[in-house]
Amino acid sequence: MSKLNIAILGCTGHVGKNLMYYFGREETFELFLFSRDKRRISNSIQHCEIRGSVSSRTYDEFSKLDYDVIINCIGISDSAKIESEEKMIMKLTEDFDQLILDYLKNNSDVKLINFSSGAVYGEEINSPINDTTSFSLNAHSQYAIAKIQSETRHRNLAEFNIIDLRLFSFFSRFMDLSTRFLISEIISSINQKKKFITNEFDFYRDYIHPKDLFSLLKKCINKNPINDVFDLYSKKPIGKFELLNSLKDNFGLQYEIRPNSGFSSPTGFKKNYYSESRKAKLLGYEPQYSSIETIVNEMKYFNSEIN
């Protein structure tokens, strides 16, 4: 059986490292890993312990090679960087999207799997997303607007095999703890034996397990022809206080509730940032892990003391 050539753009980011890790453990894939800096790719390859066939590439080589599938993970996931680099987000998204689409126009049998975001639904999400929820018509975040425009371009190219996957929340052993996310701050508090301070407001998030994500990607690869978008989900989302109490029981987290404390999000406060759409079942997707199972499972890789 011949190997499938998989190009992963943005391979040194949080999602990209997970794709390297899981694709790199199967002999049926040849990986072409893209980043601005090959040294970062080399470090990631070592970190991910890839055993399969792999080559490191820069983006100026992208159009010269042959692929079966292109996976685009390029983007800024750190909320602090989204806030400070908002002006460049639109150009970054559009430039790389156009690079890939130009490739597809010359290689129409190639499939694109593109990571989008739940941010397309708006800055404030009070109710869970469902199959009738549409793009936010009043999006102000450049990050959200860039994702909306990208998805729109893809749906207008119905003759090409393009799948957009809207990611809401993601956590794994490859997360950068310096990022400004709830879960990274919690882990830092546990590692430093510091009390975690939070406000009195509860909210809900849905963390897909890396194994479930990889399972879905393989199903996307095997589905032809297709031009569509899917929301990602775990077996069950989790509320903030449910999460804090579970980590208190499992890892000794200490936390304190202080009114008006906590952090803000540059893309808006989202009380229920998850989707109830189960459209991905059409691909055969059935998640095996809930949000809390994902977090407990992956947290064990951060520190020997977290066990």
Side-chain angles (χ1 to χ4, degrees):
M1 179 178 177
S2 60
K3 294 184 178 182
L4 282 178
N5 290 349
I6 310 288
I8 302 178
L9 282 67
C11 67
T12 58
H14 184 195
V15 172
K17 286 179 181 177
N18 279 277
L19 302 190
M20 290 170 59
Y21 180 85
Y22 285 98
F23 276 111
R25 272 158 175 67
E26 300 205 3
E27 296 181 355
T28 54
F29 303 109
E30 175 90 26
L31 301 184
F32 295 82
L33 306 176
F34 287 88
S35 174
R36 290 189 180 93
D37 187 346
K38 285 187 177 181
R39 290 172 298 180
R40 291 186 65 192
I41 300 178
S42 298
N43 292 337
S44 295
I45 289 174
Q46 283 189 316
H47 192 195
C48 297
E49 300 173 349
I50 292 178
R51 296 191 293 266
S53 300
V54 59
S55 63
S56 303
R57 302 287 178 168
T58 55
Y59 292 115
D60 59 357
E61 301 175 89
F62 175 77
S63 301
K64 306 170 185 176
L65 301 168
D66 295 323
Y67 323 106
D68 298 296
V69 179
I70 299 168
I71 303 178
N72 183 15
C73 308
I74 292 174
I76 299 174
S77 59
D78 183 351
S79 57
K81 289 184 178 179
I82 289 175
E83 195 167 16
S84 65
E85 301 179 19
E86 188 171 21
K87 291 183 179 179
M88 66 166 286
I89 289 175
M90 188 79 72
K91 179 173 174 51
L92 178 75
T93 303
E94 185 174 352
D95 286 352
F96 280 102
D97 200 36
Q98 196 58 55
L99 176 71
I100 297 168
L101 294 180
D102 287 343
Y103 185 92
L104 294 187
K105 289 172 184 176
N106 293 316
N107 302 274
S108 59
D109 56 335
V110 176
K111 174 174 288 174
L112 166 61
I113 301 174
N114 180 71
F115 277 89
S116 187
S117 169
V120 299
Y121 293 114
E123 278 76 34
E124 294 186 8
I125 300 176
N126 293 316
S127 300
I129 302 304
N130 58 48
D131 287 317
T132 65
T133 309
S134 59
F135 288 150
S136 169
L137 299 178
N138 300 306
H140 300 293
S141 160
Q142 292 297 302
Y143 178 79
I145 294 171
K147 295 298 186 184
I148 290 171
Q149 292 182 347
S150 176
E151 285 192 28
T152 301
R153 281 193 294 271
H154 296 166
R155 299 293 79 76
N156 288 335
L157 294 169
E159 67 274 25
F160 294 112
N161 284 310
I162 304 176
I163 297 176
D164 287 290
L165 298 177
R166 292 176 184 148
L167 189 61
F168 288 78
S169 299
F170 186 61
F171 174 67
S172 79
R173 70 197 73 180
F174 298 114
M175 186 178 201
D176 181 356
L177 294 186
S178 68
T179 53
R180 199 176 68 188
F181 287 111
L182 172 71
I183 193 67
S184 56
E185 293 190 0
I186 288 174
I187 294 174
S188 295
S189 295
I190 295 173
N191 286 344
Q192 297 169 23
K193 302 188 186 305
K194 292 170 53 179
K195 187 176 289 185
F196 178 72
I197 307 300
T198 190
N199 59 35
E200 70 274 28
F201 298 108
D202 202 5
F203 53 78
Y204 287 80
R205 298 291 182 265
D206 198 12
Y207 296 90
I208 184 173
H209 195 287
K211 288 183 180 179
D212 284 333
L213 178 60
F214 181 59
S215 171
L216 175 58
L217 284 170
K218 289 198 291 185
K219 295 181 185 305
C220 289
I221 289 171
N222 292 327
K223 181 68 173 178
N224 287 304
I226 187 170
N227 185 302
D228 212 337
V229 57
F230 301 89
D231 290 351
L232 299 184
Y233 55 90
S234 74
K235 281 177 68 175
K236 183 184 177 184
I238 190 167
K240 182 181 76 172
F241 290 111
E242 181 185 356
L243 171 62
L244 293 176
N245 288 326
S246 178
L247 298 183
K248 177 181 178 181
D249 294 339
N250 283 281
F251 303 112
L253 170 68
Q254 300 180 49
Y255 72 90
E256 178 183 336
I257 300 171
R258 292 183 189 172
N260 302 316
S261 64
F263 56 88
S264 61
S265 169
T267 57
F269 176 72
K270 301 172 178 65
K271 182 177 180 181
N272 290 288
Y273 190 54
Y274 66 94
S275 178
E276 293 179 339
S277 170
R278 295 300 179 261
K279 184 179 170 184
K281 283 187 175 182
L282 297 174
L283 298 171
Y285 174 63
E286 195 67 48
Q288 301 301 304
Y289 296 87
S290 66
S291 291
I292 189 57
E293 288 170 336
T294 296
I295 292 169
V296 170
N297 182 286
E298 292 293 298
M299 273 184 68
K300 295 175 182 177
Y301 292 94
F302 278 95
N303 193 308
S304 60
E305 295 180 9
I306 302 183
N307 275 298

